């Protein structure tokens, strides 16, 4: 009996440990993606003509997006499919290669844009590949809110 | 064409029809592959709206087979058509309702698009999205997706019906929508269509563009 209780307690501790790890990594990737969103916001405003072009902000944001895109693939381990209010779709783990390739594409696009953007016109001409990368991944791998 | 033929569809109606096909396909392409170029998808949406408003106007002042009065039939007439399967020069009573449905769906699709936005309100948003609440934007986006599914379904039925009809009844329906002519026959609705003049069509198009773009520009502040 004592042994049984000890086993149950032991298992419970082990499982909650796993659960904490999962929600941790989910919270972590969500925080990074939120940061990616925040970095994109001022650029989106410049694209729409709602904010004046600001080269320093553009460069800093794109650098952040490229760095985050490199960190993100590691934050979708196989045990983080559910929990923590994640919007990640199961398809991510069914097609991991494509999913990670999209992050690589985003990083490459952001770095390339960083090198070419120097004014409003080149911003408009070169952000397409970055925004396109966000959208094509969200279309396939992120659950819609509604 | 060797046999005697008559006008079935005037030029403006045919140009509209194929332009609408283009706009629906381009709407899909610009969403799927133009994620980084929101202006593409938005321009497509405005074009769709202008086309539909044009078609509504043309349904009152256009060629005789394009007028709603000539093809929007009461249920009784639809039942009669199903029973006797008479040949019609214009849309038959059942097909007429498919036209109405497709026009309504594309209108609803483009209208919800005006109020839609992406999840994070970052990359693309309709010109009127910022005039409504976030909850409204989200439900507009939801319906924008649902209506597209409905369009896919209706288009499939529409194409299937036309292909089956063209094969089984030997009426060149699809060719007629390209050439505008059909073999002279004893049609149930009218023997030949009276085409609407191009000048009037252009006037309708200009009015449609104004009706669509002016309010959006005034309320939304910008188009792209």
């Amino acid at each position: 009996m004592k042994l049984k209780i000890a086993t149950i307690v032991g298992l419970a501790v082990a499982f909650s440990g796993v659960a904490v790890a999962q929600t941790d990594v989910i919270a972590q990737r969500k925080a990074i993606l939120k940061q990616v969103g925040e970095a994109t916001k001022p650029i989106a405003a410049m694209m729409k003509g709602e904010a004046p072009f600001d080269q320093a902000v553009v460069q800093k944001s794109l650098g952040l997006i490229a760095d985050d895109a490199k960190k993100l693939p590691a934050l979708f381990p196989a045990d983080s499919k559910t929990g923590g209010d994640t919007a990640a779709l199961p398809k991510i783990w069914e097609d991991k290669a494509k999913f990670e390739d999209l992050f690589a594409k985003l990083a490459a696009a952001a770095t390339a844009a960083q090198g070419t953007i120097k004014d409003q016109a080149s911003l408009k001409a070169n952000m397409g590949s970055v925004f396109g990368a966000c959208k094509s991944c969200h279309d396939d791998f992120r659950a819609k809110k509604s | 064409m060797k046999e005697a033929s008559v006008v079935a569809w005037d030029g403006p109606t045919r140009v509209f029809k194929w332009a609408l096909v283009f706009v629906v396909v381009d709407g899909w392409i610009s969403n799927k592959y133009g994620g980084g170029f929101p202006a593409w998808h938005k321009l497509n949406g405005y074009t769709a709206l202008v086309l539909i408003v044009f078609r509504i106007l043309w349904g009152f002042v256009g060629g005789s087979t394009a007028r709603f009065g000539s093809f929007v039939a009461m249920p009784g007439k639809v039942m009669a058509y199903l029973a006797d399967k008479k040949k019609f020069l214009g849309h038959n009573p059942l097909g007429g309702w498919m036209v109405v449905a497709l026009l309504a769906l594309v209108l609803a699709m483009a209208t919800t698009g005006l109020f839609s936005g992406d999840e994070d309100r970052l990359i693309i948003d309709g010109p009127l999205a910022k005039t409504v609440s976030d909850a409204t934007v989200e439900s507009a986006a939801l319906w924008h997706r649902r209506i597209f599914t409905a369009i896919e379904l209706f288009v499939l039925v529409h194409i299937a019906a036309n292909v089956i009809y063209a094969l089984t009844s030997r009426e060149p329906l699809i060719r007629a929508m390209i050439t505008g002519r059909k073999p002279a026959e004893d049609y149930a609705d009218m023997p030949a269509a009276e085409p609407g003049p191009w000048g009037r069509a252009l006037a309708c198009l200009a009015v449609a563009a104004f009706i669509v773009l002016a309010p959006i520009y005034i309320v939304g502040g910008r188009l792209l």
Side-chain angles (χ1 to χ4, degrees):
Chain A
M1 193 63 197
K2 267 203 182 126
L3 192 74
K4 216 173 180 183
I5 290 171
T7 322
I8 290 169
V9 170
L11 280 176
V13 168
F15 272 121
S16 61
V18 171
V20 165
Q22 282 171 6
T23 20
D24 255 12
V25 79
I26 290 171
Q28 222 176 328
R29 73 182 178 226
K30 285 180 74 162
I32 292 185
L33 282 160
K34 197 169 192 125
Q35 189 183 40
V36 171
E38 291 305 315
T40 309
K41 212 171 261 175
I43 302 184
M46 290 176 212
M47 297 276 286
K48 292 177 193 168
E50 286 167 358
F53 177 78
D54 184 334
Q55 172 74 339
V57 171
V58 171
Q59 291 296 324
K60 186 161 159 270
S61 300
L62 285 170
L64 199 75
I65 292 170
D67 286 347
D68 284 346
K70 286 178 197 128
K71 285 183 216 152
L72 279 161
L75 298 176
F76 289 85
D79 63 358
S80 68
K81 291 181 192 177
T82 52
D85 200 19
T86 181
L89 289 176
K91 205 178 157 213
I92 292 174
W93 293 275
E94 287 156 22
D95 202 350
K96 203 67 196 276
K98 188 181 169 205
F99 180 71
E100 291 183 351
D101 184 53
L102 282 167
F103 273 130
K105 281 211 177 92
L106 173 61
T111 306
Q114 224 178 352
T116 43
I117 293 173
K118 49 191 181 311
D119 51 24
Q120 177 77 15
S122 51
L123 177 80
K124 284 202 162 174
N126 290 288
M127 277 309 290
S129 52
V130 178
F131 285 169
C134 315
K135 183 173 183 300
S136 58
C137 184
H138 290 170
D139 277 355
D140 288 350
F141 296 107
R142 177 184 177 193
K144 299 262 183 292
K145 263 187 252 164
S146 42
Chain B
M1 233 182 277
K2 277 191 213 94
E3 73 257 67
S5 69
V6 293
V7 174
W9 308 108
D10 61 19
T13 307
R14 283 177 284 144
V15 171
F16 160 81
K17 192 255 134 79
W18 295 110
L20 191 68
V21 171
F22 171 81
V23 151
V24 169
V25 174
D26 185 61
W28 181 83
I29 297 177
S30 59
N31 173 55
K32 177 92 180 156
Y33 300 103
F37 305 95
W40 178 8
H41 193 67
K42 290 167 83 168
L43 268 176
N44 190 78
Y46 299 139
T47 312
L49 273 179
V50 171
L51 281 172
I52 297 292
V53 173
F54 161 81
R55 185 62 183 84
I56 292 171
L57 298 172
W58 200 239
F60 293 101
V61 303
S64 52
T65 44
R67 295 196 184 196
F68 297 127
S70 76
F71 71 81
V72 180
M74 289 294 139
K77 257 183 116 180
V78 177
M79 298 313 283
Y81 167 74
L82 287 174
D84 62 25
K85 303 238 170 43
K86 280 194 183 139
K87 286 189 174 177
F88 281 75
L89 177 69
H91 301 296
N92 65 50
L94 187 60
W97 282 105
M98 176 53 94
V99 174
V100 172
L102 288 168
L103 294 178
L105 281 171
V106 175
L107 179 63
M109 182 75 194
T111 307
T112 51
L114 296 175
F115 298 93
S116 291
D118 64 274
E119 212 92 335
D120 316 298
R121 306 291 296 277
L122 279 175
I123 302 171
I124 187 168
D125 55 356
L128 303 182
K130 61 175 174 300
T131 65
V132 295
S133 70
D134 279 359
T136 308
V137 172
E138 266 171 43
S139 71
L142 175 64
W143 281 101
H144 199 58
R145 289 195 297 274
R146 284 187 181 160
I147 293 168
F148 189 70
T149 310
I151 289 180
E152 287 179 301
L153 225 81
F154 274 73
V155 165
L156 266 177
V157 173
H158 174 60
I159 294 174
N162 272 278
V163 169
I164 291 168
Y165 198 94
L167 289 179
T168 58
S169 77
R170 299 181 169 278
E171 260 203 283
L173 289 193
I174 300 166
R175 189 179 67 195
M177 203 36 98
I178 298 167
T179 63
R181 301 186 76 83
K182 271 185 166 187
E185 267 198 60
D186 193 11
Y187 292 110
D189 47 350
M190 57 184 100
E194 191 193 317
W198 281 103
R200 197 188 294 160
L202 284 179
C204 285
L205 188 64
V207 172
F210 184 78
I211 290 177
V212 170
L213 299 177
I216 295 175
Y217 188 74
I218 291 165
V219 178
R222 62 189 179 83
L223 291 175
L224 293 178

